[in-house]
Amino acid sequence: MSWIREGELNLIEKISANILKAGPMPKHVAFIMDGNRRFARKKQMERQEGHMQGFNKLAETLRWCKHLNIQEVTVYAFSIENFKRSQNEVDGLMVLAKQKFEKLLEERENLEKHGVCIRVLGDLNMLPLDLQQLIAKAVVSTKTHNKCFLNVCFAYTSRYEITNAVREMAWGVEQGQIKTSDVSEALLSECLYSNNSPNPDLLIRTSGEVRLSDFLLWQTSHSCLVFQSVLWPEYSFWNLCEAILQYQLNHTSIQKARDLHQEHQAFVQLEADRACVAEHLQHHGNGKPADARRRQEALQHYATCREERIHDFLEALQNRRDSYYTDLLSNAVVA
């Protein structure tokens, strides 16, 4: 089954999509694709077949998103917690993932045609080496595409992601690239696996469960959350439309909350900068209080230096992440 489904919506779907698109549309939708195993039990089939049907539904859902002008999709494909399942099921999921990434690499021309960029978020070191190498090929071969984005969370939990981001900032401090005073909520966001993406506008979970299961906890604090009872392999275009309608009904309050949070972040950063400048002037001012002009000049200089430090640190961090993929590809060629 192809990752990129061709085909148009039927007439009723087109009319409904056009009506929806007259209102505010989510640009980034995240899915917790829950219910594959229950679907398999319901249909009296093997678990692996349930997971296969779940992947087929993802391909179909991506087609719907394309027609609805949803430019970015993030999916919870495999949680770190899933490693606790039976070894047989975990092995089966790894084989399925390998098959699907091999299929993706066969479709590179189609991905280029549609401008699809594939990103994989998680600790890939937890995966078999051959699967890591396939993922690296998929990520590197599509990284310049920029029409739409598919983020696959694999070997992922949000708490692990946040913990890793803290480690990244600690590494930056140890390397002398940033100061402890540079650490902030905004910087942590830039150190997450999802740093290249805007936060989701809409998060959808299927199967009737009403919890996030450690998925995008940081990124969805100002997102519309929709919980639907349908099992993921049975998800329909109309289920997606229902979720988008929920987003539209709540769009104004969500946007207001985001704007207020952004203003608060800017205020907190300004106060932190002022505190650092005041401490510096106190230690280097020969006991004389600085006038307003000198304080303002010092504040602007400090903010500029902080932004340069953070820019250089994030560039070094991105280079380190990129080298992980290039090393994997180099080792694959040698092997």
Side-chain angles (χ1 to χ4, degrees):
M1 182 62 67
S2 171
W3 282 71
I4 306 297
R5 290 270 191 95
E6 301 290 348
E8 296 295 323
L9 301 176
N10 64 41
L11 180 61
I12 296 176
E13 290 171 342
K14 281 183 180 178
I15 293 170
S16 301
N18 288 334
I19 292 171
L20 274 180
K21 286 190 282 189
M25 290 294 290
K27 297 298 183 186
H28 182 184
V29 178
F31 291 94
I32 300 178
M33 308 178 293
D34 197 16
N36 293 342
R37 295 194 296 176
R38 272 172 278 178
F39 174 80
R41 287 197 297 270
K42 177 181 174 181
K43 298 294 184 179
Q44 297 183 330
M45 59 177 63
E46 294 294 324
R47 282 182 178 177
Q48 189 70 2
E49 180 60 25
H51 292 304
M52 178 68 77
Q53 293 296 323
F55 173 81
N56 294 344
K57 183 57 62 176
L58 170 60
E60 191 172 14
T61 303
L62 293 175
R63 180 175 69 88
W64 299 330
C65 288
K66 176 176 173 287
H67 286 296
L68 289 165
N69 298 336
I70 295 168
Q71 298 167 344
E72 187 152 0
V73 171
T74 299
V75 295
Y76 205 0
F78 190 85
S79 166
I80 292 172
E81 296 298 313
N82 291 153
F83 282 112
K84 297 177 182 177
R85 293 181 180 180
S86 71
Q87 191 61 49
N88 185 53
E89 184 175 2
V90 171
D91 290 344
L93 287 168
M94 293 299 138
V95 169
L96 178 61
K98 184 179 176 183
Q99 291 171 351
K100 295 311 173 186
F101 277 102
E102 286 173 341
K103 178 65 176 175
L104 184 146
L105 290 169
E106 292 172 8
E107 296 184 81
R108 275 180 285 195
E109 287 186 9
N110 202 20
L111 292 170
E112 185 175 359
K113 171 187 169 184
H114 292 284
V116 181
C117 175
I118 305 291
R119 303 183 185 123
V120 181
L121 316 182
D123 188 349
L124 303 189
N125 288 301
M126 296 183 180
L127 305 177
L129 181 58
D130 57 349
L131 179 53
Q132 290 183 51
Q133 291 170 337
L134 283 170
I135 289 172
K137 288 178 185 177
V139 170
V140 171
S141 65
T142 65
K143 70 177 183 178
T144 59
H145 302 171
N146 59 9
K147 290 182 182 176
C148 50
F149 303 87
L150 173 61
N151 307 311
V152 181
C153 293
F154 211 99
Y156 172 95
T157 65
S158 187
R159 285 176 293 180
Y160 190 95
E161 177 185 32
I162 294 167
T163 302
N164 184 70
V166 172
R167 289 196 195 101
E168 302 282 31
M169 291 188 294
W171 172 77
V173 172
E174 288 172 3
Q175 297 295 312
Q177 295 177 332
I178 55 174
K179 299 180 179 180
T180 54
S181 58
D182 297 333
V183 174
S184 66
E185 179 183 332
L187 181 57
L188 192 148
S189 294
E190 292 290 340
C191 294
L192 296 172
Y193 297 136
S194 62
N195 67 310
N196 290 316
S197 300
N199 290 336
D201 301 300
L202 171 63
L203 183 145
I204 299 168
R205 177 166 189 161
T206 57
S207 86
E209 297 290 344
V210 289
R211 52 196 169 87
L212 294 180
S213 296
D214 215 350
F215 180 56
L216 301 181
L217 301 180
W218 185 273
Q219 297 90 332
T220 56
S221 57
H222 299 102
S223 304
C224 179
L225 310 181
V226 176
F227 300 96
Q228 298 176 300
S229 59
V230 61
L231 300 177
W232 174 250
E234 297 175 325
Y235 204 69
S236 72
F237 175 79
W238 304 111
N239 294 130
L240 179 57
C241 289
E242 177 195 12
I244 292 171
L245 184 58
Q246 287 289 331
Y247 166 78
Q248 292 180 336
L249 291 171
N250 292 281
H251 176 263
T252 302
S253 61
I254 291 170
Q255 192 58 50
K256 182 179 179 180
R258 285 185 169 182
D259 292 343
L260 287 172
H261 179 68
Q262 194 170 6
E263 289 174 12
H264 178 68
Q265 271 193 314
F267 174 77
V268 168
Q269 185 62 69
L270 179 60
E271 289 299 297
D273 287 351
R274 281 174 174 163
C276 290
V277 168
E279 183 179 357
H280 175 80
L281 292 175
Q282 185 177 1
H283 285 92
H284 299 86
N286 299 320
K288 297 179 181 179
D291 58 29
R293 180 180 175 182
R294 186 181 169 205
R295 288 198 303 271
Q296 185 61 29
E297 289 174 349
L299 181 61
Q300 289 176 349
H301 177 73
Y302 179 83
T304 300
C305 291
R306 173 180 55 76
E307 289 169 3
E308 289 175 354
R309 284 195 303 273
I310 289 174
H311 175 271
D312 292 345
F313 161 65
L314 292 176
E315 194 173 72
L317 181 58
Q318 188 60 52
N319 289 337
R320 194 163 73 142
R321 291 178 176 180
D322 290 343
S323 68
Y324 167 78
Y325 289 118
T326 54
D327 289 349
L328 274 174
L329 293 179
S330 297
N331 291 337
V333 171
V334 172

